PDB file of all heavy atoms in Angstrom:
ATOM      1  N   GLY A  27       8.871  -1.087  -1.000  1.00  0.00           N
ATOM      2  CA  GLY A  27       9.343  -2.309  -0.365  1.00  0.00           C
ATOM      3  C   GLY A  27      10.857  -2.404  -0.402  1.00  0.00           C
ATOM      4  O   GLY A  27      11.542  -1.613  -1.041  1.00  0.00           O
ATOM      5  N   GLY A  28      11.383  -3.401   0.312  1.00  0.00           N
ATOM      6  CA  GLY A  28      12.818  -3.595   0.324  1.00  0.00           C
ATOM      7  C   GLY A  28      13.239  -4.502   1.461  1.00  0.00           C
ATOM      8  O   GLY A  28      12.419  -5.188   2.071  1.00  0.00           O
ATOM      9  N   LEU A  29      14.539  -4.484   1.712  1.00  0.00           N
ATOM     10  CA  LEU A  29      15.139  -5.291   2.777  1.00  0.00           C
ATOM     11  C   LEU A  29      15.442  -4.391   3.967  1.00  0.00           C
ATOM     12  O   LEU A  29      16.066  -3.328   3.802  1.00  0.00           O
ATOM     13  CB  LEU A  29      16.421  -5.954   2.260  1.00  0.00           C
ATOM     14  CG  LEU A  29      17.259  -6.719   3.276  1.00  0.00           C
ATOM     15  CD1 LEU A  29      16.487  -7.919   3.807  1.00  0.00           C
ATOM     16  CD2 LEU A  29      18.572  -7.157   2.635  1.00  0.00           C
ATOM     17  N   VAL A  30      15.023  -4.815   5.139  1.00  0.00           N
ATOM     18  CA  VAL A  30      15.244  -4.028   6.349  1.00  0.00           C
ATOM     19  C   VAL A  30      15.533  -4.975   7.508  1.00  0.00           C
ATOM     20  O   VAL A  30      15.066  -6.122   7.509  1.00  0.00           O
ATOM     21  CB  VAL A  30      14.016  -3.143   6.648  1.00  0.00           C
ATOM     22  CG1 VAL A  30      12.780  -3.980   6.939  1.00  0.00           C
ATOM     23  CG2 VAL A  30      14.277  -2.158   7.765  1.00  0.00           C
ATOM     24  N   GLN A  31      16.305  -4.512   8.459  1.00  0.00           N
ATOM     25  CA  GLN A  31      16.591  -5.326   9.633  1.00  0.00           C
ATOM     26  C   GLN A  31      15.412  -5.287  10.605  1.00  0.00           C
ATOM     27  O   GLN A  31      14.636  -4.315  10.623  1.00  0.00           O
ATOM     28  CB  GLN A  31      17.839  -4.824  10.334  1.00  0.00           C
ATOM     29  CG  GLN A  31      19.127  -5.113   9.580  1.00  0.00           C
ATOM     30  CD  GLN A  31      20.356  -4.772  10.392  1.00  0.00           C
ATOM     31  OE1 GLN A  31      20.321  -3.896  11.246  1.00  0.00           O
ATOM     32  NE2 GLN A  31      21.447  -5.479  10.124  1.00  0.00           N
ATOM     33  N   ALA A  32      15.310  -6.322  11.403  1.00  0.00           N
ATOM     34  CA  ALA A  32      14.280  -6.371  12.432  1.00  0.00           C
ATOM     35  C   ALA A  32      14.378  -5.129  13.321  1.00  0.00           C
ATOM     36  O   ALA A  32      15.480  -4.705  13.694  1.00  0.00           O
ATOM     37  CB  ALA A  32      14.423  -7.631  13.268  1.00  0.00           C
ATOM     38  N   GLY A  33      13.227  -4.564  13.625  1.00  0.00           N
ATOM     39  CA  GLY A  33      13.189  -3.337  14.405  1.00  0.00           C
ATOM     40  C   GLY A  33      13.157  -2.078  13.565  1.00  0.00           C
ATOM     41  O   GLY A  33      12.904  -0.984  14.087  1.00  0.00           O
ATOM     42  N   GLY A  34      13.414  -2.229  12.276  1.00  0.00           N
ATOM     43  CA  GLY A  34      13.442  -1.082  11.385  1.00  0.00           C
ATOM     44  C   GLY A  34      12.071  -0.683  10.888  1.00  0.00           C
ATOM     45  O   GLY A  34      11.039  -1.237  11.315  1.00  0.00           O
ATOM     46  N   SER A  35      12.073   0.295   9.970  1.00  0.00           N
ATOM     47  CA  SER A  35      10.825   0.847   9.446  1.00  0.00           C
ATOM     48  C   SER A  35      10.879   0.930   7.930  1.00  0.00           C
ATOM     49  O   SER A  35      11.952   1.045   7.333  1.00  0.00           O
ATOM     50  CB  SER A  35      10.593   2.248  10.013  1.00  0.00           C
ATOM     51  OG  SER A  35      10.491   2.228  11.415  1.00  0.00           O
ATOM     52  N   LEU A  36       9.706   0.883   7.346  1.00  0.00           N
ATOM     53  CA  LEU A  36       9.531   1.109   5.917  1.00  0.00           C
ATOM     54  C   LEU A  36       8.193   1.808   5.717  1.00  0.00           C
ATOM     55  O   LEU A  36       7.266   1.609   6.506  1.00  0.00           O
ATOM     56  CB  LEU A  36       9.501  -0.202   5.134  1.00  0.00           C
ATOM     57  CG  LEU A  36      10.802  -0.902   4.777  1.00  0.00           C
ATOM     58  CD1 LEU A  36      10.504  -2.230   4.087  1.00  0.00           C
ATOM     59  CD2 LEU A  36      11.689  -0.032   3.899  1.00  0.00           C
ATOM     60  N   ARG A  37       8.098   2.583   4.631  1.00  0.00           N
ATOM     61  CA  ARG A  37       6.817   3.144   4.263  1.00  0.00           C
ATOM     62  C   ARG A  37       6.477   2.703   2.852  1.00  0.00           C
ATOM     63  O   ARG A  37       7.229   2.995   1.907  1.00  0.00           O
ATOM     64  CB  ARG A  37       6.809   4.668   4.330  1.00  0.00           C
ATOM     65  CG  ARG A  37       5.394   5.237   4.134  1.00  0.00           C
ATOM     66  CD  ARG A  37       5.318   6.734   4.274  1.00  0.00           C
ATOM     67  NE  ARG A  37       5.716   7.430   3.072  1.00  0.00           N
ATOM     68  CZ  ARG A  37       5.321   8.665   2.761  1.00  0.00           C
ATOM     69  NH1 ARG A  37       4.500   9.316   3.569  1.00  0.00           N
ATOM     70  NH2 ARG A  37       5.757   9.251   1.650  1.00  0.00           N
ATOM     71  N   LEU A  38       5.374   2.027   2.733  1.00  0.00           N
ATOM     72  CA  LEU A  38       4.876   1.616   1.429  1.00  0.00           C
ATOM     73  C   LEU A  38       3.913   2.676   0.898  1.00  0.00           C
ATOM     74  O   LEU A  38       3.173   3.286   1.666  1.00  0.00           O
ATOM     75  CB  LEU A  38       4.157   0.276   1.519  1.00  0.00           C
ATOM     76  CG  LEU A  38       4.940  -0.893   2.116  1.00  0.00           C
ATOM     77  CD1 LEU A  38       4.092  -2.166   2.048  1.00  0.00           C
ATOM     78  CD2 LEU A  38       6.268  -1.079   1.434  1.00  0.00           C
ATOM     79  N   SER A  39       3.942   2.837  -0.418  1.00  0.00           N
ATOM     80  CA  SER A  39       3.014   3.739  -1.084  1.00  0.00           C
ATOM     81  C   SER A  39       2.266   2.969  -2.153  1.00  0.00           C
ATOM     82  O   SER A  39       2.790   2.014  -2.735  1.00  0.00           O
ATOM     83  CB  SER A  39       3.760   4.903  -1.733  1.00  0.00           C
ATOM     84  OG  SER A  39       4.477   5.660  -0.786  1.00  0.00           O
ATOM     85  N   CYS A  40       1.061   3.403  -2.415  1.00  0.00           N
ATOM     86  CA  CYS A  40       0.258   2.823  -3.485  1.00  0.00           C
ATOM     87  C   CYS A  40      -0.398   3.964  -4.240  1.00  0.00           C
ATOM     88  O   CYS A  40      -1.267   4.655  -3.690  1.00  0.00           O
ATOM     89  CB  CYS A  40      -0.785   1.873  -2.922  1.00  0.00           C
ATOM     90  SG  CYS A  40      -1.939   1.222  -4.151  1.00  0.00           S
ATOM     91  N   ALA A  41       0.029   4.156  -5.476  1.00  0.00           N
ATOM     92  CA  ALA A  41      -0.512   5.221  -6.304  1.00  0.00           C
ATOM     93  C   ALA A  41      -1.629   4.671  -7.182  1.00  0.00           C
ATOM     94  O   ALA A  41      -1.474   3.639  -7.827  1.00  0.00           O
ATOM     95  CB  ALA A  41       0.590   5.807  -7.170  1.00  0.00           C
ATOM     96  N   ALA A  42      -2.739   5.391  -7.193  1.00  0.00           N
ATOM     97  CA  ALA A  42      -3.902   4.960  -7.958  1.00  0.00           C
ATOM     98  C   ALA A  42      -4.146   5.889  -9.140  1.00  0.00           C
ATOM     99  O   ALA A  42      -3.893   7.088  -9.059  1.00  0.00           O
ATOM    100  CB  ALA A  42      -5.131   4.940  -7.065  1.00  0.00           C
ATOM    101  N   SER A  43      -4.655   5.319 -10.206  1.00  0.00           N
ATOM    102  CA  SER A  43      -5.022   6.126 -11.374  1.00  0.00           C
ATOM    103  C   SER A  43      -6.212   5.487 -12.064  1.00  0.00           C
ATOM    104  O   SER A  43      -6.484   4.296 -11.895  1.00  0.00           O
ATOM    105  CB  SER A  43      -3.855   6.224 -12.357  1.00  0.00           C
ATOM    106  OG  SER A  43      -3.502   4.936 -12.835  1.00  0.00           O
ATOM    107  N   GLY A  44      -6.932   6.286 -12.812  1.00  0.00           N
ATOM    108  CA  GLY A  44      -8.018   5.760 -13.632  1.00  0.00           C
ATOM    109  C   GLY A  44      -9.408   6.153 -13.198  1.00  0.00           C
ATOM    110  O   GLY A  44     -10.288   6.266 -14.025  1.00  0.00           O
ATOM    111  N   ARG A  45      -9.640   6.335 -11.929  1.00  0.00           N
ATOM    112  CA  ARG A  45     -10.957   6.706 -11.407  1.00  0.00           C
ATOM    113  C   ARG A  45     -10.780   7.635 -10.226  1.00  0.00           C
ATOM    114  O   ARG A  45      -9.710   7.652  -9.624  1.00  0.00           O
ATOM    115  CB  ARG A  45     -11.736   5.459 -10.963  1.00  0.00           C
ATOM    116  CG  ARG A  45     -12.180   4.557 -12.092  1.00  0.00           C
ATOM    117  CD  ARG A  45     -13.271   5.181 -12.926  1.00  0.00           C
ATOM    118  NE  ARG A  45     -13.781   4.271 -13.947  1.00  0.00           N
ATOM    119  CZ  ARG A  45     -14.682   4.594 -14.856  1.00  0.00           C
ATOM    120  NH1 ARG A  45     -15.187   5.806 -14.854  1.00  0.00           N
ATOM    121  NH2 ARG A  45     -15.098   3.709 -15.741  1.00  0.00           N
ATOM    122  N   PRO A  46     -11.815   8.396  -9.846  1.00  0.00           N
ATOM    123  CA  PRO A  46     -11.667   9.227  -8.654  1.00  0.00           C
ATOM    124  C   PRO A  46     -11.277   8.409  -7.438  1.00  0.00           C
ATOM    125  O   PRO A  46     -12.022   7.531  -6.995  1.00  0.00           O
ATOM    126  CB  PRO A  46     -13.057   9.838  -8.495  1.00  0.00           C
ATOM    127  CG  PRO A  46     -13.601   9.877  -9.881  1.00  0.00           C
ATOM    128  CD  PRO A  46     -13.087   8.631 -10.530  1.00  0.00           C
ATOM    129  N   PHE A  47     -10.102   8.687  -6.907  1.00  0.00           N
ATOM    130  CA  PHE A  47      -9.551   7.922  -5.802  1.00  0.00           C
ATOM    131  C   PHE A  47     -10.452   7.950  -4.584  1.00  0.00           C
ATOM    132  O   PHE A  47     -10.571   6.951  -3.864  1.00  0.00           O
ATOM    133  CB  PHE A  47      -8.169   8.491  -5.475  1.00  0.00           C
ATOM    134  CG  PHE A  47      -7.433   7.764  -4.405  1.00  0.00           C
ATOM    135  CD1 PHE A  47      -7.040   6.449  -4.588  1.00  0.00           C
ATOM    136  CD2 PHE A  47      -7.102   8.401  -3.219  1.00  0.00           C
ATOM    137  CE1 PHE A  47      -6.349   5.773  -3.603  1.00  0.00           C
ATOM    138  CE2 PHE A  47      -6.398   7.743  -2.232  1.00  0.00           C
ATOM    139  CZ  PHE A  47      -6.018   6.425  -2.417  1.00  0.00           C
ATOM    140  N   SER A  48     -11.122   9.066  -4.364  1.00  0.00           N
ATOM    141  CA  SER A  48     -11.959   9.201  -3.171  1.00  0.00           C
ATOM    142  C   SER A  48     -13.207   8.332  -3.216  1.00  0.00           C
ATOM    143  O   SER A  48     -13.940   8.255  -2.226  1.00  0.00           O
ATOM    144  CB  SER A  48     -12.347  10.669  -2.973  1.00  0.00           C
ATOM    145  OG  SER A  48     -13.028  11.138  -4.115  1.00  0.00           O
ATOM    146  N   ASN A  49     -13.467   7.673  -4.330  1.00  0.00           N
ATOM    147  CA  ASN A  49     -14.596   6.756  -4.421  1.00  0.00           C
ATOM    148  C   ASN A  49     -14.304   5.381  -3.844  1.00  0.00           C
ATOM    149  O   ASN A  49     -15.190   4.529  -3.787  1.00  0.00           O
ATOM    150  CB  ASN A  49     -15.020   6.562  -5.884  1.00  0.00           C
ATOM    151  CG  ASN A  49     -15.742   7.779  -6.426  1.00  0.00           C
ATOM    152  OD1 ASN A  49     -16.043   8.713  -5.700  1.00  0.00           O
ATOM    153  ND2 ASN A  49     -16.007   7.766  -7.719  1.00  0.00           N
ATOM    154  N   TYR A  50     -13.052   5.164  -3.434  1.00  0.00           N
ATOM    155  CA  TYR A  50     -12.624   3.826  -3.046  1.00  0.00           C
ATOM    156  C   TYR A  50     -12.112   3.787  -1.618  1.00  0.00           C
ATOM    157  O   TYR A  50     -11.267   4.598  -1.226  1.00  0.00           O
ATOM    158  CB  TYR A  50     -11.508   3.338  -3.979  1.00  0.00           C
ATOM    159  CG  TYR A  50     -11.972   3.160  -5.401  1.00  0.00           C
ATOM    160  CD1 TYR A  50     -11.963   4.233  -6.291  1.00  0.00           C
ATOM    161  CD2 TYR A  50     -12.429   1.933  -5.851  1.00  0.00           C
ATOM    162  CE1 TYR A  50     -12.413   4.083  -7.595  1.00  0.00           C
ATOM    163  CE2 TYR A  50     -12.869   1.769  -7.146  1.00  0.00           C
ATOM    164  CZ  TYR A  50     -12.863   2.844  -8.016  1.00  0.00           C
ATOM    165  OH  TYR A  50     -13.306   2.682  -9.294  1.00  0.00           O
ATOM    166  N   ALA A  51     -12.610   2.821  -0.862  1.00  0.00           N
ATOM    167  CA  ALA A  51     -11.918   2.448   0.357  1.00  0.00           C
ATOM    168  C   ALA A  51     -10.684   1.657  -0.058  1.00  0.00           C
ATOM    169  O   ALA A  51     -10.689   0.987  -1.097  1.00  0.00           O
ATOM    170  CB  ALA A  51     -12.819   1.597   1.239  1.00  0.00           C
ATOM    171  N   MET A  52      -9.639   1.745   0.739  1.00  0.00           N
ATOM    172  CA  MET A  52      -8.371   1.128   0.355  1.00  0.00           C
ATOM    173  C   MET A  52      -7.901   0.158   1.436  1.00  0.00           C
ATOM    174  O   MET A  52      -8.216   0.319   2.631  1.00  0.00           O
ATOM    175  CB  MET A  52      -7.307   2.185   0.138  1.00  0.00           C
ATOM    176  CG  MET A  52      -7.637   3.189  -0.959  1.00  0.00           C
ATOM    177  SD  MET A  52      -7.784   2.436  -2.589  1.00  0.00           S
ATOM    178  CE  MET A  52      -6.097   1.875  -2.862  1.00  0.00           C
ATOM    179  N   GLY A  53      -7.142  -0.806   1.007  1.00  0.00           N
ATOM    180  CA  GLY A  53      -6.623  -1.773   1.969  1.00  0.00           C
ATOM    181  C   GLY A  53      -5.238  -2.260   1.589  1.00  0.00           C
ATOM    182  O   GLY A  53      -4.809  -2.107   0.438  1.00  0.00           O
ATOM    183  N   TRP A  54      -4.568  -2.807   2.554  1.00  0.00           N
ATOM    184  CA  TRP A  54      -3.283  -3.486   2.344  1.00  0.00           C
ATOM    185  C   TRP A  54      -3.432  -4.936   2.809  1.00  0.00           C
ATOM    186  O   TRP A  54      -3.993  -5.208   3.882  1.00  0.00           O
ATOM    187  CB  TRP A  54      -2.166  -2.825   3.137  1.00  0.00           C
ATOM    188  CG  TRP A  54      -1.709  -1.516   2.600  1.00  0.00           C
ATOM    189  CD1 TRP A  54      -2.116  -0.271   2.990  1.00  0.00           C
ATOM    190  CD2 TRP A  54      -0.737  -1.298   1.571  1.00  0.00           C
ATOM    191  NE1 TRP A  54      -1.473   0.691   2.268  1.00  0.00           N
ATOM    192  CE2 TRP A  54      -0.608   0.086   1.392  1.00  0.00           C
ATOM    193  CE3 TRP A  54       0.059  -2.150   0.785  1.00  0.00           C
ATOM    194  CZ2 TRP A  54       0.259   0.652   0.463  1.00  0.00           C
ATOM    195  CZ3 TRP A  54       0.921  -1.600  -0.134  1.00  0.00           C
ATOM    196  CH2 TRP A  54       1.020  -0.211  -0.294  1.00  0.00           C
ATOM    197  N   PHE A  55      -2.891  -5.825   1.997  1.00  0.00           N
ATOM    198  CA  PHE A  55      -2.846  -7.242   2.322  1.00  0.00           C
ATOM    199  C   PHE A  55      -1.406  -7.711   2.148  1.00  0.00           C
ATOM    200  O   PHE A  55      -0.600  -7.023   1.523  1.00  0.00           O
ATOM    201  CB  PHE A  55      -3.765  -8.050   1.395  1.00  0.00           C
ATOM    202  CG  PHE A  55      -5.229  -7.854   1.671  1.00  0.00           C
ATOM    203  CD1 PHE A  55      -5.870  -6.676   1.316  1.00  0.00           C
ATOM    204  CD2 PHE A  55      -5.975  -8.846   2.272  1.00  0.00           C
ATOM    205  CE1 PHE A  55      -7.222  -6.486   1.566  1.00  0.00           C
ATOM    206  CE2 PHE A  55      -7.335  -8.680   2.525  1.00  0.00           C
ATOM    207  CZ  PHE A  55      -7.950  -7.494   2.169  1.00  0.00           C
ATOM    208  N   ARG A  56      -1.099  -8.876   2.660  1.00  0.00           N
ATOM    209  CA  ARG A  56       0.227  -9.434   2.449  1.00  0.00           C
ATOM    210  C   ARG A  56       0.147 -10.941   2.281  1.00  0.00           C
ATOM    211  O   ARG A  56      -0.768 -11.587   2.794  1.00  0.00           O
ATOM    212  CB  ARG A  56       1.171  -9.076   3.595  1.00  0.00           C
ATOM    213  CG  ARG A  56       0.811  -9.686   4.943  1.00  0.00           C
ATOM    214  CD  ARG A  56       1.727  -9.121   6.025  1.00  0.00           C
ATOM    215  NE  ARG A  56       1.443  -9.705   7.339  1.00  0.00           N
ATOM    216  CZ  ARG A  56       2.010  -9.287   8.467  1.00  0.00           C
ATOM    217  NH1 ARG A  56       2.898  -8.280   8.437  1.00  0.00           N
ATOM    218  NH2 ARG A  56       1.711  -9.864   9.618  1.00  0.00           N
ATOM    219  N   GLN A  57       1.134 -11.451   1.562  1.00  0.00           N
ATOM    220  CA  GLN A  57       1.182 -12.878   1.300  1.00  0.00           C
ATOM    221  C   GLN A  57       2.608 -13.371   1.427  1.00  0.00           C
ATOM    222  O   GLN A  57       3.482 -12.939   0.663  1.00  0.00           O
ATOM    223  CB  GLN A  57       0.624 -13.202  -0.084  1.00  0.00           C
ATOM    224  CG  GLN A  57       0.464 -14.686  -0.346  1.00  0.00           C
ATOM    225  CD  GLN A  57      -0.364 -14.954  -1.596  1.00  0.00           C
ATOM    226  OE1 GLN A  57      -0.537 -14.085  -2.458  1.00  0.00           O
ATOM    227  NE2 GLN A  57      -0.909 -16.160  -1.694  1.00  0.00           N
ATOM    228  N   ALA A  58       2.826 -14.243   2.392  1.00  0.00           N
ATOM    229  CA  ALA A  58       4.125 -14.877   2.580  1.00  0.00           C
ATOM    230  C   ALA A  58       4.178 -16.160   1.738  1.00  0.00           C
ATOM    231  O   ALA A  58       3.135 -16.717   1.390  1.00  0.00           O
ATOM    232  CB  ALA A  58       4.344 -15.195   4.050  1.00  0.00           C
TER     233      ALA A  58
END
């Protein structure tokens, strides 16, 4: 995450640990 101007791009990453990652469907949510 970070600060970006309108029209720009960002790439978010989410690293998982603790269980086999392939056992999980994944999602992104946001809250303003």
